[in-house]
Structures are given as C-alpha cells and as structure tokens.
Amino acid sequence: MLLELLIPMLLLVLGVYLGLIQVLSRAGVIRGDSIWSLKYFEGLTLHGVVNAIVVTTFFAVAFGNAVMVYYLKNKINMTWVWVSFWVMMIGTLLAAWAIMSGNATVLYTFYAPLKAHPLFYIGVALLVVGSWIAFFNWIPMYLRFRKEHPEKKTPIAVVGTLANFVIWFIATVPVAYEVLVILLPWSLGYVSEINVMLTRVLFWFFGHPLVYFWLLPAYIMYYAFLPKLVGSKIYSDFAARLVFFLFLIFSIPVGLHHQFAEPSINPNLKLLHAVFTFGVALPSLITAFSIAASLEMGAHLRGHKGLMSWVYRQPFFDKNNYLFAYLIVGLLIFIVGGATGILNASYSMNNLVHNTGFLPGHFHLTVAGPVILAIFGMTVYMYSNLTGKEVKLKSLNVAVPYIWALGLTFFSSGLMVGGLLGEPRRTNLGISYTNPDSPLFHSDWQITTAITAIGGTIMFIAALSYFTVLIATMASKSKGSVAFSFPTSEAYHDEKNISLVKNFAPWILVAVVIILIAYVPTIKEALENTAGGALPYLPTNPVPITP
Amino acid sequence: MDRAEKFIISFSIVVLVLFVTGIIIVAKGAGIDIAECVPSDKTFTEGRLGQLDEHTYQAYYVAKMWAFEPREIEIPLESELDIFLTSKDVVHGFHINEKAVNLMAVPGTINKYRVKFSKKGTYEIVCHEFCGTGHQNMVGKIIVK
Ligand code: HEM
Ligand SMILES: [Cu+2]
Ligand SMILES: [Cu+2]
C-alpha cells in the first residue's frame, strides 16, 4: 500500500520538471530548433498523461483503499489490491515507454487521426482496468457493512469514494470502447479509416468526469477531515451526502462543453450540455458555503468572537496541523478555479478562450491547485501515519502550499491574460511567437509567457521543497508505534438517515437517464454529419500512413 | 437542515438559473452563437474566397499540416464573412486574434461560423491545436480594408 502511495510522487518529480521545461520553452528562455518542437510535445504528452491521469488515478485508488479499510473496519482482499496495483503499474510503464521513445506524441487527449503506438493505447486501457479492479474489490466490503449495520449511516468518506468510482466506471466504459475497439485496431493497421468526430465525442464523455474524479478525493477531505482539523464539525451531514450524489448525476452529461467550437453537432445540444454544466456547479457552491460555515463554527468554538474574525483566526501556519494548510490553500485557489470554469462553460463566452492559454491557466487552478495540494498533504499524512515516522522539516512542509499558491498566481495570471490576448495553448511559442527573430513574433505574448515562466519556476521550487520533506521523512526512523487514523469530523446537524441520501441505486438510475438524453442524439449527429473516415498520421508527416 | 442552509441552497440555485438565462438570452436573443452544424460535403477540398452579395463573403478554409488555405484574404470593411472550415489531414485549430472566432477543423466535417468585421486592420489566424512538427508556424491572415 505504501508503494501505491509513493509511485505517484516519484512520477510527479518528472511531471513538474516537464512543467518547468514547458513554461521556459513557451517564454523562449529555452529555444531549440525544429527537432525541439517535437520534443516539446513528447514532454507535454508525458506531463499530461503522468500528472493528470496516472498520478491522480493511483492516488484515488490508494486513498480509496485506505478509506474503505479504515471506515468500514472490514478486511480488504489484499490479493485484489495487488492485482489492481500491478495492472495499473504495467499499463503506466507501457504508455510511458511509448511516449518516451517518441512513438506516442499525441498529448493526453490522444486525438485521432494522430496515431500512437498500440502499446500506448493498451497501457492507458490497463491503467483504467486496474482502477476498476480496486473498485470491484470495495463493493463486497460496502455491502457487508450495510448488512451488518442496517441502522448505521455509511461514513461520508465512503459515500464520497464510492460515488467517485461509480462516476469513473460509467465514464470510462465509452473511452475503453474508443481505445480498444476503435483506436487500437486502427493503430495496428487492421482497420484503415475511423470516424474522428465519434472518437472525440467518446473522449469527452470521459474527459469531464475525469476532472471530477481528480477533485472528489479533495472534496472528501474537505467534508470528512477539514472541520475536525479546526476543531469544528461538518455543518450538515445531509448536505455533504447530497453533494456527492449530485456529482454522480451531473458530472457526465456535460462533455460537449469541451466541444463548443467543433463541427457536426447541433448548437442546441451543446446548449443542453452547458445547462447541465451549471447543474454540476451547484454541489460546488453548496460545498463552498458548508465549509465556510464549518470554519466559522470552529473559530467560535475556539473562543474567537468577532463577526469576521473567523476568516483569519485559523491555524494557517500551524506546523503540526499541516494538513489544514494544504487543504485550505487548495480550497481558496478553487474559488478562482471554479469561477473561471463557469466562464469557460458559458457557451458563447467560450469563443473567447477556447484552446488559448486561458484554459491551462484555468485548469492548473483546479488540478494543479486543490487536487495536487490535497494529494501532497494527504500523501505525507498517510505515509507518516502508516509508518509511525514523524514528519521532518516541519516549517518547510507547512510553507509548501503557500509557495505553490504564490507561483500558481503568477503562472495562471500569465496564461489567462495571454489567452485573452490570443496566446495559443499546446504550442511551443519559443520557436515562433516569442522569438524576436521570427516573422511571427508577438510582443504581448512575450510578456505573458514571461510572467507564466516566473510563476512556473516558483511552483517547481515548491514541488522540490515538498519532495525534500517527503524524502527527509522517509529517511527518518520510525518511532515504532503505528496507529493509523483519519481526522474524522462529526456532524453538527446530524439529520436522520433518510433514504434519499442512503442508497446509490436511484441516483445511478437518474444519472443513466440524463446521460442517455445528453448523449444518444449527440452520437447520432456525430455519425450522420461526418463523411468518410480518417487514415492515421504521424506528427512529422503530412502524408498519411497507408496500410 | 436549518434555515441558513435552505437559504444557501436556494440562493445557489437562483444564481445558477440566472447565469443560464443570461447565456441563453445572449446566444439566442442577441445572436452571439457558437460553431454551426452543417452536413459534410466531399466536394469541399480546396480553399478559396467567394462572394455571395455586396456585403457577404464566403471563405472556404482548408487546414492542413501546416498551413491554412487560403493563407491570406482581403475583404472590405463592414462585410459579413461566412467561414467554412475543414481539415485535409489531422485536427487543427482556427482562432482569429482580437475576434471571438474559435473553431476546430476536423477531417470529414465542415465547421461554420459567421462573423462581421467593423474595424480595419490585419487579423491574424492562429492554429491552436497540436497538429505536428510545424504547428507553431501555422498562421493565416485576414485583411480588412
Ligand atoms: C511545476 C508545476 C507545473 C508547471 C510549471 C506546469 C506547466 C504547464 C504548462 C506551461 C502547460 C501548457 C503547455 C501548453 O499548452 O503548451 C501545462 C499543461 C498541462 N498541465 Fe501542467 N504544470 C505544472 C504542474 C501540473 C500538475 C501538478 C498537473 C496535474 C496534476 C498538471 C496538469 C497539466 C495538464 C493536464 C496539462 C494539459 C496538457 C495538454 O494540453 O495536453 N500540471 N502545464
Ligand atoms: Cu469539463
Ligand atoms: Cu496546429
């Protein structure tokens, strides 16, 4: 289990290093020739796949295993834990090999008709299947708990984890189809042409729920742990449960908000997905208010009386309460991340920002904000609690989230302002647009990419500081006694165990119905409005590969 | 659930409903819409600029590794431009700087958007989707006179 926790950290070292290379290349600080152009995208593919897919999936599984064991007080079947780990691990190694050997420069969205090596597709599929195995391993544990304790409420962290993996399972089925049935045979040369629009619709069926899959472990920590860390309670037990179930129904039927600029799909269908997207903003708004209420209550319980003093009377820099710092900084970043997300989702407003620097500016405020900080904080917490080792370099540890946030502020501001000025994403600007010797030189973008580079460098330093803390902790001696626990909050309003927020089945049923409404006509349009198929291409050659 | 909480949940819902209403009014009422859906047409394989009437032009853009065809077009001030966009090979992006025009070029499909130019100048088109080695040099130009 420790391995499952530490592997993502090892990969992240590579991930943030590549991030640094990207900001420096975009700003033209590192400027290579045209070979460098492709290297940039190999790096970006690895950065996206490792950070956004591999690290987050490994962490969700490791954290889920711990939550299930701790809260259900049930034995877990270790054989399946290891099978799941190795399937994910082999998948990761295959995909990493394909990318690093230059055979899968397709970015983490693997948009056809750019073609990757078959092992890339197989690797991605194995990673997903490994996470399914972990999930299936939890279901009998949950059912046994429900049978043995019919009167008890399911612990909130368990509800959150299961809701998250139900979303993940539903969302990964279509992408598994895309990868295994459409792309793999095409990549192997058994099929010559494929429908590109269909692959894009299937990818984004998965792509948006993916972001909630990253986020929900952080949400679980906000509800189940954060109140406890400030001596407070979950404001309302009912609201917490409702939030996770709302995510279950609204996080999938929204994929077209990534495809507003695409052909072949009726704008009214896109509008429908936009409306559902505002539905998925609801649980986040509820969360913002609930957590604020918990924080306020905590400050009052600790004796701070003023009306607004709860805002700053919190243990922000408490070395022994570092988990609070990681969580609260992430939460504050998420306010901006959420607001910019609402902007992106706002239909015609998306015309301004789609695929510009604004997008990575926005999503680093989510996935490289609350998500990664929760992962960082929880990884040291779990490591030190599972091994009985005390966290070393405590002051540095509690400073990490603040340094990261400082860097992220510059990083995202640069990208977002640049984006509004037209700066493209997924582009090695250093070769052309931020190169004073190029006819395509753009002086505005030179400024915005420079601000981004400063921010990215600070983030890289924060990450190095974090790895130093982790390594120092690993190198220290265990104090012997190991008593693992999560800082579990009680509920202030502990409502009755009403069936609305007790069972998964009705919510899953509603989710499936909404998905069918959102996706049956979409897939139909994608098929009807496309002519002919696409042959595979390599990024280096305008001539397709013919079988 | 206490009163504060019921208030907050209804408040959140009201805010979101207002947002959605705003979006729909802007899109359908004020006509600021997004990419249109047109059926694909296999005869559209070459880029060119055409004119429909005095004020309406039609640009047929073919995006390919690593250029837009036509690379440069010229239209008079105050004219409407219907942009039709397809791709000959992989997926490309099509963004006109300083204009809220943002389209994807997907092989096997046609994308469409209508835009009006009421300011003189040279507008730069940038490809903003990764399309291979030459991606960072893939640009076009619209000159409004
Ligand atoms: C030192 C920290 C980091 C830096 C400096 C950094 C930098 C960047 C930059 C500059 C881009 C845009 C490149 C382009 O579009 O040309 C990017 C993309 C991306 N980053 Fe990061 N990043 C960092 C950390 C992270 C973390 C922690 C995550 C996720 C957990 C993450 C996830 C992503 C994703 C998913 C993309 C999109 C890739 C794509 O467009 O295909 N990044 N990053
Ligand atoms: Cu999304
Ligand atoms: Cu391109």
Side-chain angles (χ1 to χ4, degrees):
Chain A
M1 284 250 269
L2 277 181
L3 205 56
E4 202 161 68
L5 206 56
L6 294 176
I7 291 284
M9 292 301 119
L10 192 65
L11 291 168
L12 262 177
V13 178
L14 185 66
V16 295
Y17 165 73
L18 292 164
L20 181 69
I21 299 292
Q22 280 147 220
V23 286
L24 296 179
S25 306
R26 285 177 68 95
V29 180
I30 305 178
R31 182 173 298 130
D33 47 19
S34 49
I35 299 170
W36 176 244
S37 161
L38 217 62
K39 283 280 168 212
Y40 178 87
F41 291 106
E42 266 176 54
L44 187 56
T45 306
L46 205 56
H47 179 80
V49 170
V50 161
N51 291 3
I53 303 187
V54 179
V55 167
T56 46
T57 305
F58 264 90
F59 179 79
V61 168
F63 181 60
N65 279 332
V67 162
M68 291 296 148
V69 172
Y70 179 73
Y71 286 103
L72 297 181
K73 311 254 179 295
N74 243 324
K75 269 228 163 53
I76 191 163
N77 183 329
M78 279 313 284
T79 316
W80 289 115
V81 170
W82 284 113
V83 172
S84 128
F85 172 79
W86 281 111
V87 172
M88 294 199 299
M89 200 60 212
I90 293 168
T92 303
L93 291 173
L94 292 180
W97 171 82
I99 300 167
M100 291 202 242
S101 62
N103 285 306
T105 308
V106 291
L107 304 190
Y108 86 108
T109 43
F110 46 88
Y111 286 150
L114 280 177
K115 183 195 80 102
H117 193 282
L119 287 180
F120 173 83
Y121 301 117
I122 294 174
V124 171
L126 286 179
L127 177 71
V128 168
V129 170
S131 68
W132 288 352
I133 296 174
F135 173 44
F136 297 153
N137 199 17
W138 301 333
I139 295 175
M141 295 170 75
Y142 166 70
L143 294 178
R144 198 161 74 218
F145 173 89
R146 288 290 299 269
K147 214 167 110 203
E148 284 171 5
H149 309 276
E151 74 301 342
K152 265 201 201 155
K153 284 186 180 178
T154 313
I156 286 190
V158 174
V159 173
T161 304
L162 291 177
N164 197 18
F165 275 79
V166 171
I167 296 172
W168 179 243
F169 183 69
I170 299 177
T172 43
V173 171
V175 84
Y177 179 86
E178 180 203 353
V179 167
L180 296 176
V181 181
I182 304 179
L183 297 177
L184 186 60
W186 173 75
S187 165
L188 287 165
Y190 297 149
V191 173
S192 65
E193 298 189 359
I194 57 168
N195 181 328
V196 176
M197 266 326 280
L198 180 63
T199 60
R200 294 176 75 85
V201 167
L202 293 176
F203 181 85
W204 285 113
F205 184 111
F206 153 82
H208 191 83
L210 170 69
V211 315
Y212 285 103
F213 180 68
W214 303 337
L215 198 58
L216 286 195
Y219 267 56
I220 292 168
M221 296 179 215
Y222 297 155
Y223 276 108
F225 309 157
L226 189 112
K228 177 79 178 181
L229 295 173
V230 294
S232 180
K233 295 182 172 175
I234 300 176
Y235 191 71
S236 155
D237 175 80
F238 171 78
R241 286 163 203 275
L242 183 66
V243 159
F244 289 114
F245 286 119
L246 285 175
F247 275 124
L248 181 54
I249 56 175
F250 281 127
S251 50
I252 301 175
V254 296
L256 286 185
H257 71 215
H258 295 261
Q259 301 186 280
F260 286 146
E262 288 181 34
S264 297
I265 293 161
N266 190 312
N268 292 326
L269 272 172
K270 296 177 183 170
L271 191 57
L272 178 70
H273 283 229
V275 172
F276 286 143
T277 307
F278 282 81
V280 80
L282 178 63
S284 287
L285 282 183
I286 297 177
T287 302
F289 291 120
S290 302
I291 304 299
S294 292
L295 289 172
E296 179 178 2
M297 208 159 70
H300 292 177
L301 286 173
R302 280 177 278 116
H304 303 295
K305 284 283 170 291
L307 186 63
M308 291 311 287
S309 66
W310 63 273
V311 174
Y312 52 88
R313 294 278 188 190
Q314 302 290 351
F316 290 113
F317 300 104
D318 183 346
K319 279 189 256 183
N320 294 316
N321 200 354
Y322 59 90
L323 195 53
F324 176 72
Y326 279 96
L327 294 182
I328 194 73
V329 173
L331 202 58
L332 292 173
I333 294 171
F334 192 54
I335 296 175
V336 192
T340 49
I342 286 184
L343 195 156
N344 298 336
S346 295
Y347 197 69
S348 25
M349 203 117 78
N350 183 268
N351 286 348
L352 278 175
V353 295
H354 174 75
N355 265 6
T356 67
F358 196 91
L359 264 286
H362 149 72
F363 66 66
H364 283 83
L365 292 170
T366 57
V367 69
V371 172
I372 205 70
L373 288 177
I375 293 181
F376 277 169
M378 187 42 71
T379 300
V380 234
Y381 179 89
M382 280 171 55
Y383 181 81
S384 103
N385 272 265
L386 282 168
T387 55
K389 293 181 185 176
E390 205 175 330
V391 178
K392 294 285 163 209
L393 306 175
K394 287 189 174 169
S395 307
L396 185 62
N397 185 25
V398 78
V400 165
Y402 297 95
I403 309 174
W404 183 272
L406 177 74
L408 190 55
T409 307
F410 283 99
F411 174 87
S412 282
S413 311
L415 276 170
M416 290 198 292
V417 173
L420 291 173
L421 296 170
E423 179 190 317
R425 76 182 277 202
R426 295 186 152 179
T427 305
N428 185 351
L429 284 88
I431 294 182
S432 54
Y433 304 115
T434 59
N435 180 356
D437 300 331
S438 159
L440 300 180
F441 180 64
H442 240 275
S443 55
D444 309 355
W445 300 348
Q446 200 178 29
I447 301 166
T448 51
T449 51
I451 296 171
T452 307
I454 293 170
T457 310
I458 300 175
M459 287 160 74
F460 181 69
I461 293 169
L464 287 190
S465 312
Y466 173 77
F467 297 132
T468 313
V469 171
L470 195 61
I471 292 169
T473 308
M474 285 163 73
S476 70
K477 279 222 169 64
S478 171
K479 288 185 305 180
S481 62
V482 175
F484 184 81
S485 74
F486 280 125
T488 306
S489 325
E490 290 164 37
Y492 173 60
H493 289 289
D494 199 6
E495 291 90 347
K496 278 205 292 289
N497 194 5
I498 53 174
S499 59
L500 178 66
V501 289
K502 193 165 153 190
N503 297 315
F504 280 86
W507 293 94
I508 296 176
L509 196 70
V510 175
V512 171
V513 170
I514 302 187
I515 290 169
L516 291 177
I517 294 172
Y519 268 104
V520 170
T522 305
I523 291 176
K524 194 160 160 279
E525 297 245 313
L527 293 174
E528 280 173 2
N529 296 325
T530 317
L535 293 165
Y537 284 83
L538 291 176
T540 41
N541 194 344
V543 180
I545 306 164
T546 34
Chain B
M1 262 207 285
D2 62 8
R3 262 184 51 219
E5 208 171 353
K6 279 186 191 137
F7 169 75
I8 280 305
I9 294 185
S10 0
F11 175 78
S12 304
I13 294 177
V14 170
V15 168
L16 292 171
V17 168
L18 283 178
F19 280 176
V20 169
T21 318
I23 289 169
I24 296 178
I25 291 173
V26 168
K28 303 298 167 191
I32 307 176
D33 216 318
I34 57 172
E36 284 174 50
C37 169
V38 283
S40 63
D41 175 359
K42 280 190 167 163
T43 61
F44 171 18
T45 53
E46 264 164 48
R48 65 190 161 86
L49 178 68
Q51 190 171 9
L52 201 62
D53 59 43
E54 205 189 335
H55 296 291
T56 319
Y57 289 79
Q58 295 182 310
Y60 289 86
Y61 276 108
V62 176
K64 56 186 183 187
M65 289 158 111
W66 295 278
F68 293 108
E69 190 190 288
R71 186 177 166 81
E72 198 175 305
I73 62 171
E74 214 180 279
I75 51 168
L77 192 64
E78 295 299 337
S79 43
E80 299 257 20
L81 183 66
D82 279 333
I83 295 170
F84 295 89
L85 174 68
T86 190
S87 164
K88 212 182 115 196
D89 37 54
V90 298
V91 175
H92 300 273
F94 182 100
H95 181 232
I96 307 183
N97 282 345
E98 289 156 61
K99 272 278 173 203
V101 178
N102 212 325
L103 300 168
M104 301 305 289
V106 180
T109 71
I110 299 176
N111 211 344
K112 182 182 177 218
Y113 194 73
R114 168 170 283 200
V115 57
K116 187 171 178 174
F117 287 90
S118 20
K119 232 172 86 185
K120 281 192 188 173
T122 304
Y123 294 81
E124 191 181 25
I125 302 166
V126 173
C127 173
H128 57 24
E129 181 59 270
F130 170 57
C131 58
T133 331
H135 165 58
Q136 64 286 334
N137 300 315
M138 185 169 163
V139 294
K141 237 183 226 171
I142 299 178
I143 298 165
V144 180
K145 283 222 165 131

